[in-house]
Amino acid sequence: LESGTLKAVVIPTGSTEQHNEHLAMIHDTASVTLVARQAALLLYPQVMVATPVAVGISPHWMDRKGTLSLRKETFLAVVYDICESLKTHGVTRILMLNGHGGNAVPLAEAAPEFRRKLDITIQAANYWDAYTPEIIKKHMESNKAPAHAAEFETSFAMAAFPERIH
């Protein structure tokens, strides 16, 4: 930070929720963190990855034991506070990189307000947005991405975390 080398920080946001019977509860957080770290490595030392937000907005899965969920307001307050902390340390560009469907709209809607309040560059994106319809059609039999606990997430886990598949 002091040398001016660091240009941006990525905040991975995920969830702790069921992913059917075959994927780990932490799948969304692990996946987005891996994507964030791989991207940051390509841009090191200009980009770093913050500690992931591992609990997201998941009230729709609360009937499945072990799922943890935050209220939208709580989740956004946590992410905002992380952005504010980073700004305090001199960070002026933040990417909130999301890995959980329940967080997508709230983060996208909050980004302009966060930018206005903190007066720094803040963007929100989902890691799966990098996959074009052409890529999805070419590689996914289901033609669906991300699709909760389905072909996309299972394939990702098979490649990145085979030890977490049951």
Side-chain angles (χ1 to χ4, degrees):
L1 281 170
E2 291 174 0
S3 72
T5 304
L6 182 64
K7 303 297 181 197
V9 172
V10 179
I11 303 170
T13 63
S15 68
T16 301
E17 65 178 14
Q18 68 78 29
H19 279 84
N20 289 337
E21 303 305 322
H22 66 292
L23 297 180
M25 301 277 284
I26 199 71
H27 176 77
D28 290 348
T29 304
S31 297
V32 71
T33 302
L34 177 65
V35 171
R37 287 180 178 160
Q38 291 302 111
L41 283 172
L42 293 173
L43 299 167
Y44 181 82
Q46 296 176 324
V47 176
M48 294 177 63
V49 178
T51 302
V53 179
V55 179
I57 304 168
S58 299
H60 45 285
W61 296 119
M62 287 305 294
D63 62 330
R64 298 296 300 261
K65 302 293 185 216
T67 295
L68 303 176
S69 184
L70 296 174
R71 292 185 314 270
K72 174 184 168 183
E73 299 78 15
T74 303
F75 172 77
L76 291 175
V78 168
V79 176
Y80 178 84
D81 286 353
I82 293 168
C83 291
E84 187 175 44
S85 295
L86 292 168
K87 179 189 175 179
T88 299
H89 297 302
V91 174
T92 60
R93 292 181 190 94
I94 298 171
L95 173 61
M96 301 178 295
L97 186 62
N98 179 49
H100 168 60
N103 302 338
V105 171
L107 284 170
E109 292 175 348
E113 178 186 354
F114 289 9
R115 279 194 298 272
R116 183 184 53 77
K117 284 183 170 179
L118 295 172
D119 195 29
I120 60 175
T121 301
I122 299 177
Q123 297 292 329
N126 305 304
Y127 81 86
W128 57 81
D129 291 340
Y131 298 94
T132 64
E134 295 78 25
I135 291 172
I136 293 167
K137 185 175 181 177
K138 180 178 178 182
H139 296 285
M140 307 301 293
E141 288 182 22
S142 65
N143 291 322
K144 295 180 184 178
H148 181 77
E151 181 185 14
F152 176 83
E153 288 188 322
T154 301
S155 297
F156 194 110
M158 289 172 70
F161 320 112
E163 71 281 2
R164 292 185 178 159
I165 299 174
H166 305 286

